Amino acid sequence: DELKQILQQENLSDKKWLHIGGGSNLLFTGDYEGVILHSAIKGTEIVYEDDEAVQVRVGAGEVWDDFVAYAVNQGWYGAENLSLIPGEVGASAVQNIGAYGVEACDVILSVEVFDTQKGTFFEMPKSLCEFEYRGSIFKKNPHWIVVSVLFELTKKEHVYRLDYGNVREQMHGKELSLDNVRQTIIEIRKSKLPLPSEMGSAGSFFKNPVVQESVYDDIKLRYEDVPFYRVEGGVKIPAAWLISQCGWKGKSVGMAGVYEKQPLILVNRGGATGAEVLNLMEEIQESVRTEFGILLSPEVCIIR
């Protein structure tokens, strides 16, 4: 109700505005000449439950990892691989966040949305959300604001996804349990990624490119150890590997740099402007394009 009232106010109706979540996936290249809206819609409500599954509606303003921790503590399976991803629940649907072989869309049933142009609320079922790798219909329609997300998790122990990254290796010797998988994911992320409270970053800056088989074959002729995953539409090659092969790991341009533990992360080493980070992004893109013929696409939302 407050969201509807705010957007009808005279001082906002004729102004440029931007709705954000926690802001952890945004790069501002300068001051934003408009109004920033940030959801504080909270709440976690069980809407259906039986012996095998549970459906939970979560407010868009809830911290994502708080929800994952809650699900694990309840013994609900499905979201554990998405532990410690920064941001909020509303953005999880917009961005279709993912890690270690799992994406948000794997556990989303529907998304509640407010259409700012029509002034109406509606429920978008998963089948119409156009979820894709780090994208959704919500990303293509910025006049829609996510209000809440309905998730479905299983209550019966499922097949854990351990074959991405070094999850299975790090699980060696540990009891296979929901909590241990979550804690292992957290340990891996902390070892590879800077904490936002300690060093500014936007997490994984680039999407992992999916290339044609012929492109992969050409790269493999020159780099026998190129890592890859076969996916629908071609071969996915880790962007971090491509960036590292171009010598960017740990390098800086001005005060913007490439994180020494994970080259997919661009960091602010202190006082870097949005323009500096953008310049670093473009230099990395050009290096990878020149060496491999692949144009890396940013995963981060760039606000110009």
Side-chain angles (χ1 to χ4, degrees):
D1 292 340
E2 290 176 348
L3 171 61
K4 199 169 184 177
Q5 291 168 13
I6 288 169
L7 290 167
Q8 288 172 343
Q9 290 177 4
E10 287 185 11
N11 66 337
L12 200 63
S13 60
D14 60 347
K15 284 187 178 179
K16 180 181 176 184
W17 58 267
L18 174 68
H19 176 256
I20 68 171
S24 57
N25 198 49
L26 301 178
L27 172 65
F28 287 88
T29 58
D31 291 339
Y32 183 75
E33 300 298 332
V35 178
I36 299 289
L37 301 177
H38 175 229
S39 174
I41 299 172
K42 302 291 187 178
T44 301
E45 175 192 7
I46 296 174
V47 298
Y48 175 80
E49 185 175 10
D50 60 23
D51 292 340
E52 296 191 350
V54 58
Q55 296 177 7
V56 193
R57 183 172 296 282
V58 186
E62 290 284 358
V63 173
W64 170 258
D65 193 54
D66 288 352
F67 166 62
V68 178
Y70 169 71
V72 169
N73 288 336
Q74 294 295 316
W76 301 338
Y77 299 82
E80 61 276 2
N81 283 35
L82 303 178
S83 293
L84 209 64
I85 294 179
E88 298 177 354
V89 166
S92 73
V94 176
Q95 179 75 356
N96 188 24
I97 59 174
Y100 302 105
V102 176
E103 292 182 323
C105 66
D106 295 332
V107 291
I108 289 175
L109 266 186
S110 63
V111 181
E112 184 184 9
V113 178
F114 178 67
D115 188 327
T116 62
Q117 293 178 347
K118 297 179 179 178
T120 57
F121 293 88
F122 65 94
E123 190 89 10
M124 177 75 76
K126 174 181 176 176
S127 60
L128 299 180
C129 290
E130 297 181 14
F131 285 124
E132 59 187 6
Y133 176 53
R134 303 302 175 268
S136 69
I137 194 171
F138 311 111
K139 210 169 185 178
K140 304 166 190 172
N141 291 275
H143 62 285
W144 291 352
I145 293 179
V146 173
V147 177
S148 68
V149 183
L150 182 63
F151 298 95
E152 182 172 61
L153 302 168
T154 177
K155 294 169 70 175
K156 294 199 170 182
E157 192 161 13
H158 67 157
V159 178
Y160 293 101
R161 304 292 291 274
L162 305 177
D163 291 325
Y164 283 74
N166 58 337
V167 180
R168 189 175 294 279
E169 178 185 336
Q170 293 297 313
M171 282 291 296
H172 183 70
K174 298 180 183 178
E175 178 188 355
L176 190 58
S177 69
L178 191 55
D179 188 62
N180 279 345
V181 171
R182 169 170 163 79
Q183 292 307 318
T184 297
I185 296 288
I186 289 173
E187 290 166 10
I188 293 172
R189 290 186 69 89
K190 282 185 174 180
S191 71
K192 293 169 58 178
L193 310 174
L195 292 173
S197 58
E198 297 176 359
M199 181 180 289
S201 85
S204 299
F205 201 95
F206 298 99
K207 298 177 183 178
N208 292 318
V210 176
V211 302
Q212 294 180 346
E213 191 82 31
S214 58
V215 174
Y216 163 73
D217 289 341
D218 287 343
I219 294 173
K220 189 167 179 60
L221 286 174
R222 293 185 292 141
Y223 297 89
E224 290 185 2
D225 61 343
V226 54
F228 69 95
Y229 303 96
R230 297 198 185 279
V231 297
E232 185 178 345
V235 181
K236 182 183 288 187
I237 299 177
W241 182 85
L242 296 169
I243 294 166
S244 185
Q245 296 307 308
C246 291
W248 279 103
K249 195 172 184 179
K251 296 285 184 67
S252 295
V253 175
M255 296 308 294
V258 179
Y259 194 48
E260 50 274 6
K261 294 182 182 179
Q262 167 54 276
L264 198 56
I265 310 295
L266 303 190
V267 295
N268 187 337
R269 299 202 186 281
T273 65
E276 283 183 300
V277 177
L278 197 64
N279 179 56
L280 174 60
M281 176 197 81
E282 291 170 347
E283 289 200 28
I284 292 171
Q285 284 177 315
E286 181 59 25
S287 291
V288 173
R289 188 193 64 79
T290 300
E291 177 65 19
F292 297 102
I294 297 171
L295 178 61
L296 293 181
S297 299
E299 181 177 316
V300 169
C301 301
I302 299 170
I303 313 299
R304 302 176 188 270

